[in-house]
Amino acid sequence: MQRQWRGKLPFNRKKPPENPGSMETIEKRCLELFARDYKFSIIHNSNGEVCGHYPRQIVFLEYECVDVDRDRFESTVQISKLQDLVSRSKLARCRGRFVCPVILYNGKHICRSSTLAGWGELYGRTGYNYIFSGGSDDNWTDSEEVPDDDSAIRNRDTQLFDKVRGHDIKLLQYLSVRYICDLMMENKKVKFGLNVTSSEKVDKAQRYADFALLSVPYPGCEFFKEYKDRNYTAEGLVFNWNQDYVDAPLTIPASFTQKLNIDWTQYQSWDLVEQTQNYLKLLLHIINNDDDCGLLVHCISGWDRTPLFVSLLRLSLWADGAVHANLEPAEILYLTIAYDWFFFGHMLPDRLSKGEEIFFFCFNSLKHIVSEKFSVVRKQRRKYSHFRDGDLTVEDLCQLHSCISNVYFHPFSSNHPGVGSREQQPKPKGPDFPLQCQPGLLLRRNPKAS
């Protein structure tokens, strides 16, 4: 465990690093940007031993470094306990992408993950010998005992899911997460007639009944090829909800639907812009109206739709001065691209080669969330119309873009950003955003800025 303290860690514009586009440099800059506002610890994942698709250095934000005359919101989580729960719970979720806190807002954790693993993946990735071995508290039964009949097999399956999902629930509870926002279009992901993933909303034993489960189906990355084919126009682009695989209805607790002045019964008629706006309003409302509990956002694998909403949440909260208050527009842009998208496994070259440009849509949609309706504070949001002479330049963003666009990581192996082999890919054609975006006009600036 490494503890990182806030200090003056400015980027050096006059003496740039020797390899500005290297993985190590990008990691270092992300840590520097987090350190501007937060005290944090590191969960080391250098060889993908914690998760093969997560950052090599997973940042756990402990508390915000603020002026002494302001209230300080501090997490009650102990990093050693968190690491233990992570190691026990990661088998519960698809591809081992465990519940990971990524944003700290007023002492509450906004987390991301994949959906729950189904029995196929769980048995494929582990065996009974592994599941029922380890510490003394894990020795439930003789793992080599062969069940005599179907009822014994079902009982063994139940024990397995009780154990693995029980650890997942303990991690959620330890992070004080109460709300789980599921973006899947399906109740269970089915391939070749087999259920390859599950989700909290269809857990047969109702293990997640104590959580507030929100089913907010949102189109997967394949739909964003239509967005590209329409010349990157999301207005008027409506998803076809009559497809056979779509079986997850919109399900939101009445306490939320009654306060947002949104007609949720019309969700299937919304175009992509309105759907994204309304879902973001819902997430902001949740985290701003519960003083104690956090939020988990996930889709299936957690590397397309999940970073879309995590990134929009981070940027919108930043615009209010509620998170990362000391970062400039180019800096928060760099952080969310590198950390929320790249280091958590978004495969940009693959998506661009297929025309599935959900990454571009995320940042292009910022123009649709500038209204005060997306603010979590009562103060008027200011627009930041020019670039301050900060330490991070557009050239730094170009280096980041080059690194992301030219490195492809295999999603089914232990290779992840900085781990294992890399394949160089031809740079796919597509918009050069966010390089051609104007970071100074990224979004409305937080109220601290002058």
Side-chain angles (χ1 to χ4, degrees):
M1 180 186 72
Q2 173 184 334
R3 303 182 71 83
Q4 180 72 34
W5 295 87
R6 181 197 178 200
K8 294 184 178 180
L9 298 170
F11 298 129
N12 193 328
R13 295 180 63 198
K14 296 181 180 179
K15 297 180 180 180
E18 294 182 0
N19 298 304
S22 71
M23 203 72 59
E24 292 75 13
T25 300
I26 297 172
E27 289 174 335
K28 180 182 177 182
R29 286 185 166 175
C30 285
L31 296 182
E32 290 171 345
L33 293 173
F34 277 118
R36 298 277 186 88
D37 294 276
Y38 297 96
K39 156 71 169 55
F40 61 84
S41 296
I42 296 292
I43 297 177
H44 291 285
N45 187 37
S46 300
N47 298 308
E49 60 272 23
V50 181
C51 178
H53 311 93
Y54 274 11
R56 299 193 304 181
Q57 299 184 75
I58 302 171
V59 174
F60 173 68
L61 302 177
E62 298 184 31
Y63 59 81
E64 185 179 6
C65 300
V66 296
D67 299 333
V68 294
D69 58 340
R70 291 177 56 190
D71 293 335
R72 185 177 80 176
F73 296 97
E74 183 170 352
S75 172
T76 59
V77 173
Q78 297 178 355
I79 188 65
S80 59
K81 176 67 172 178
L82 177 64
Q83 287 178 308
D84 179 64
L85 288 171
V86 163
S87 66
R88 292 174 180 271
S89 68
K90 61 184 180 180
L91 296 177
R93 295 198 170 261
C94 177
R95 307 181 193 276
R97 295 172 66 89
F98 60 88
V99 175
C100 184
V102 288
I103 301 174
L104 183 65
Y105 169 63
N106 287 355
K108 298 169 287 189
H109 293 289
I110 299 174
C111 306
R112 63 182 295 169
S113 72
S114 62
T115 190
L116 294 178
W119 66 267
E121 180 179 359
L122 194 54
Y123 283 115
R125 295 175 60 236
T126 66
Y128 282 125
N129 287 336
Y130 182 83
I131 293 295
F132 294 102
S133 66
S136 58
D137 59 334
D138 290 338
N139 293 328
W140 285 17
T141 185
D142 182 4
S143 60
E144 297 181 356
E145 180 182 349
V146 179
D148 294 328
D149 52 33
D150 290 344
S151 62
I153 294 175
R154 287 194 296 271
N155 183 58
R156 181 66 62 86
D157 290 346
T158 300
Q159 286 186 337
L160 176 61
F161 281 101
D162 283 344
K163 180 181 179 64
V164 173
R165 292 183 180 176
H167 287 315
D168 182 65
I169 290 170
K170 288 180 181 178
L171 176 58
L172 287 165
Q173 292 173 337
Y174 191 61
L175 292 168
S176 298
V177 171
R178 170 166 170 72
Y179 307 97
I180 299 178
C181 179
D182 182 351
L183 298 166
M184 293 173 59
M185 305 295 291
E186 312 92 339
N187 287 320
K188 296 182 179 182
K189 180 67 175 180
V190 178
K191 284 189 176 181
F192 309 112
L194 298 175
N195 295 327
V196 294
T197 72
S198 184
S199 61
E200 299 89 352
K201 59 183 178 286
V202 292
D203 181 72
K204 292 181 180 179
Q206 296 188 330
R207 299 175 183 88
Y208 294 84
D210 291 337
F211 296 88
L213 304 179
L214 294 86
S215 175
V216 282
Y218 190 85
C221 60
E222 300 86 357
F223 181 64
F224 288 84
K225 186 177 187 307
E226 296 186 37
Y227 166 66
K228 178 192 175 185
D229 292 344
R230 296 177 83 249
N231 196 27
Y232 303 98
T233 302
E235 294 86 349
L237 178 57
V238 180
F239 180 76
N240 177 13
W241 295 90
N242 295 320
Q243 300 175 71
D244 291 340
Y245 74 93
V246 179
D247 60 359
L250 181 78
T251 307
I252 304 173
S255 58
F256 296 137
T257 60
Q258 297 169 355
K259 296 179 180 179
L260 287 172
N261 195 28
I262 295 172
D263 186 357
W264 296 98
T265 64
Q266 298 299 311
Y267 76 98
Q268 293 189 358
S269 67
W270 296 339
D271 65 17
L272 189 58
V273 171
E274 187 174 9
Q275 186 179 21
T276 305
Q277 288 176 322
N278 289 339
Y279 283 10
L280 181 60
K281 288 178 184 177
L282 174 65
L283 297 179
L284 290 168
H285 177 78
I286 290 172
I287 62 172
N288 203 43
N289 285 271
D290 191 316
D291 294 333
D292 303 312
C293 297
L295 167 71
L296 168 65
V297 179
H298 75 74
C299 51
I300 296 177
S301 293
W303 54 36
D304 291 307
R305 288 168 286 184
T306 297
L308 165 65
F309 281 97
V310 168
S311 192
L312 291 178
L313 281 168
R314 193 184 298 276
L315 291 170
S316 186
L317 291 170
W318 165 84
D320 287 325
V323 301
H324 304 288
N326 290 312
L327 298 190
E328 298 301 318
E331 292 168 337
I332 189 65
L333 181 64
Y334 187 101
L335 179 63
T336 192
I337 292 173
Y339 195 73
D340 295 331
W341 288 89
F342 184 37
F343 285 147
F344 274 90
H346 178 69
M347 296 176 288
L348 180 61
D350 177 73
R351 297 297 182 252
L352 289 178
S353 68
K354 297 175 181 177
E356 299 168 352
E357 302 207 22
I358 188 172
F359 176 78
F360 177 79
F361 170 78
C362 173
F363 298 95
N364 196 41
S365 64
L366 294 177
K367 60 189 177 185
H368 298 298
I369 62 170
V370 298
S371 166
E372 299 299 320
K373 296 177 181 179
F374 298 93
S375 177
V376 295
V377 297
R378 294 184 179 277
K379 293 182 180 180
Q380 183 177 0
R381 291 173 159 186
R382 302 183 188 181
K383 289 190 176 181
Y384 205 83
S385 59
H386 64 280
F387 230 156
R388 267 174 54 178
D389 188 20
D391 297 306
L392 196 151
T393 68
V394 173
E395 286 72 22
D396 295 305
L397 293 173
C398 292
Q399 293 290 348
L400 173 62
H401 178 271
S402 176
C403 185
I404 295 174
S405 296
N406 291 305
V407 179
Y408 172 74
F409 303 101
H410 300 281
F412 302 111
S413 70
S414 61
N415 300 329
H416 69 116
V419 177
S421 63
R422 291 176 248 176
E423 289 186 4
Q424 296 298 323
Q425 300 285 326
K427 182 178 178 182
K429 294 182 179 180
D432 287 330
F433 189 86
L435 304 184
Q436 291 182 357
C437 94
Q438 301 177 46
L441 298 174
L442 178 63
L443 200 60
R444 52 264 178 261
R445 180 53 171 146
N446 67 66
K448 281 184 61 176
S450 58

